[in-house]
Amino acid sequence: MRKIVILTLCFLSVICLLVTGGCHSRNDKTPDEQRTEEKPDPKAWFDKGNVWAEKGDYDQAISAYNKVTEIDPLYTSAYYFRGHVWEEKGKLDKAIKDYSKVLELNPELEKAYHDRGTAWGKKGEYEKAISDFNKALELNPNDGTIYDTRGNAWQMKKEYGKAINDYVKALELNPKLFVPYNNLAWLLATCSDPAYRSGDKAVTLAEKAVELNHDVFTLDTLAAAHAEAGNFDDAVATMEKIIKLLNDRGDTSHLKIYEDHLKSYRNHKPWRIK
């Protein structure tokens, strides 16, 4: 499937970070002061890792989180945040290993189940993903985001009825989430099984997604919905708007797929997921 929507986390030198009040020669300190300053500080390294992650410097972030776990092997947040960074780098097995460590230390943390499930889904291991999402929902049954993400896994397994049910449940729990509107609209507009398609419903849902989050992603879904409803002029106009937005931003990395959508709609052909 072409889309499934789902770390915001002054760099000081290592020595100065570990010393209060600036850098001083050890000869200026008493033995007790020296021992206090030399004691490794996992929180300081953790904070540094978050700063590096926020800047997108994932290698530096991982190095900092590694230092945290070396100092304190029970520092759960370091494994959790490092798992996110591994996902950003596409290292899914390492991300799964870190999320599993988190759950070993804290088996009641539903976010770790959810995020490990997401990583399993990216690997195409949808049964394992759904199992983790189920566990997350046992721990937090009122989180619409988990239903939405499990819906993505059902959709990838082509169990479209279950996917729709999960998207609907997500919106019942949180009608302000744009992602389930978008994912449900995309499914109703592009599903390969005609029994699950509904252009008019897809347009209504996609318009709500655009209202909540006006961007290329939701506009693309709106175009697909218009095409399924037979509104090809609207579909073409929306795709042309998307392509202009991308070109104005200088973001052409995913331009081809949008150009393919535009070509399809100009030929009066709705888009279909494989």
Side-chain angles (χ1 to χ4, degrees):
M1 186 174 66
R2 78 95 172 82
K3 62 168 79 178
I4 287 193
V5 189
I6 356 182
L7 195 48
T8 302
L9 300 173
C10 95
F11 175 65
L12 302 177
S13 72
V14 175
I15 296 175
C16 289
L17 186 62
L18 296 177
V19 179
T20 303
C23 297
H24 301 280
S25 167
R26 291 183 178 180
N27 293 331
D28 297 333
K29 302 295 181 180
T30 68
D32 285 343
E33 287 174 331
Q34 290 179 29
R35 282 193 292 273
T36 298
E37 290 178 351
E38 291 167 7
K39 183 178 180 180
D41 183 355
K43 178 62 165 58
W45 282 104
F46 178 70
D47 290 342
K48 285 178 62 176
N50 293 345
V51 170
W52 287 119
E54 185 178 8
K55 291 179 178 180
D57 193 333
Y58 299 131
D59 290 338
Q60 290 275 26
I62 288 170
S63 179
Y65 294 138
N66 288 348
K67 188 68 175 178
V68 177
T69 60
E70 289 171 9
I71 299 168
D72 182 358
L74 302 181
Y75 204 114
T76 308
S77 294
Y79 296 104
Y80 183 74
F81 280 81
R82 190 172 66 185
H84 278 284
V85 174
W86 284 128
E87 274 199 76
E88 290 293 331
K89 287 173 62 67
K91 304 294 186 179
L92 299 176
D93 289 331
K94 291 185 176 182
I96 289 167
K97 182 178 180 181
D98 270 348
Y99 294 139
S100 297
K101 181 63 176 181
V102 171
L103 291 168
E104 176 187 321
L105 295 171
N106 184 357
E108 301 300 309
L109 188 62
E110 82 277 357
K111 292 184 182 300
Y113 282 108
H114 174 269
D115 295 345
R116 189 175 69 177
T118 300
W120 282 124
K122 290 177 180 178
K123 282 175 62 69
E125 299 275 2
Y126 302 119
E127 290 291 348
K128 292 180 180 178
I130 289 167
S131 177
D132 272 349
F133 296 142
N134 290 345
K135 183 61 178 179
L137 286 170
E138 289 176 15
L139 294 167
N140 188 2
N142 296 315
D143 189 335
T145 300
I146 302 173
Y147 280 98
D148 176 70
T149 315
R150 190 176 68 176
N152 296 334
W154 288 125
Q155 185 173 170
M156 295 302 291
K157 282 173 59 65
K158 302 187 184 301
E159 297 197 40
Y160 301 121
K162 291 180 179 179
I164 290 170
N165 289 340
D166 271 357
Y167 294 144
V168 170
K169 182 65 175 179
L171 293 171
E172 288 176 357
L173 289 169
N174 190 345
K176 294 183 178 180
L177 286 175
F178 85 89
V179 178
Y181 284 111
N182 196 75
N183 286 337
L184 181 53
W186 180 257
L187 176 56
L188 296 179
T190 65
C191 187
S192 57
D193 187 339
Y196 295 99
R197 292 201 302 268
S198 175
D200 291 338
K201 289 182 180 179
V203 169
T204 300
L205 291 162
E207 287 176 340
K208 183 64 176 179
V210 171
E211 176 188 330
L212 292 170
N213 187 53
H214 187 280
D215 203 359
V216 168
F217 200 67
T218 52
L219 287 171
D220 184 38
T221 298
L222 179 59
H226 277 309
E228 176 59 26
N231 309 324
F232 289 104
D233 288 344
D234 290 333
V236 168
T238 302
M239 290 310 307
E240 290 175 341
K241 182 187 298 185
I242 289 171
I243 291 171
K244 183 179 185 305
L245 282 171
L246 290 173
N247 283 322
D248 288 347
R249 294 175 184 175
D251 179 7
T252 59
S253 56
H254 297 96
L255 193 57
K256 185 180 185 306
I257 184 63
Y258 296 118
E259 289 175 339
D260 289 344
H261 291 177
L262 175 58
K263 181 179 179 180
S264 181
Y265 305 151
R266 280 176 172 167
N267 291 328
H268 286 202
K269 293 181 179 179
W271 193 257
R272 294 287 176 261
I273 57 177
K274 305 302 184 182

